[in-house]
Amino acid sequence: MFFKRLRSRIKKDIRVIFERDPAARSVIEVVCCYSGLHAIWLHRISHGLYLKGWVLIPRMISNLGRFLTGIEIHPGATIGEGLFIDHGTGIVIGETAELGRNVTLYQGVTLGGTGKEKGKRHPTIGNNVVVASGAKVLGSFTVGDHAKIGAGSVVLKAVPAYATVVGIPGRVVVMHGKRVGEPVYTDEMMKLLDNDVDSDEMVEEQDVDLNHDELPDPVRDLMLEMSQRLEKMEGRIKELEKELEEKNA
């Protein structure tokens, strides 16, 4: 039973990479070359030992993973199935962070705290959430299911489900984003699946909106509105000057 579950978990780890990374070409490439996958596997070992009450060895495994992959995941962090770490260099996941199913993290993401508070001090990330490059999610709050965090954002408070957050500090600018298309599987990937994957599970994995580049720009919108108002004011001033000249003529 244990080995059957382990085999299923490994297959899912590989499958989600093919679903979310168009650069993936073969299973052997994914297994050998994807540092995010290696970091997840090392974390599972350290997390298992951490739950048994061990401290030093799990931290040593975590440090080894950071040295090998550039990704630091504390052994105490809770990570759900279907996590995809793209590239991953610079990612930090804190001790009390909790990640739901089918989360996607890009390079430079921090799921951290805001100080020296005790207890739950790191964020809880819902299912099917995408956190883009360089984003910082800091504090003990929840990011709702299907939310998107824009690149470079600093999120300091709770994010509702299906929301898109951008800026510093992060603010909600869009609700209910567009969905991505269906992934294309290679023949080798289909052999790996062996037709034993539940269809509902695959639908859930694919319900991840990766279009984190298609985000609104509230600062640009504000500048544009100010520019339009200035043009309107200048036009009105010219009209008043012309009326004044006509009266004095």
Side-chain angles (χ1 to χ4, degrees), residues 17-18 21-30 34 186 188-189:
I17 292 175
F18 280 89
D21 187 0
R25 296 291 185 268
S26 67
V27 173
I28 188 65
E29 176 200 10
V30 168
Y34 275 65
T186 63
E188 186 174 0
M189 191 61 210

Side-chain angles (χ1 to χ4, degrees), residues 97-157:
E98 299 177 34
L99 281 69
R101 299 185 306 275
N102 306 316
V103 173
T104 301
L105 304 179
Y106 290 86
Q107 62 271 22
V109 166
T110 298
L111 306 179
T114 56
K116 296 183 178 180
E117 63 271 19
K118 301 293 184 179
K120 183 75 167 74
R121 58 192 183 277
H122 300 107
T124 297
I125 309 297
N127 302 325
N128 300 77
V129 172
V130 175
V131 187
S133 304
K136 313 299 177 186
V137 186
L138 308 175
S140 177
F141 54 83
T142 298
V143 177
D145 296 348
H146 300 273
K148 288 196 298 183
I149 310 299
S153 300
V154 178
V155 183
L156 302 173
K157 60 183 181 180

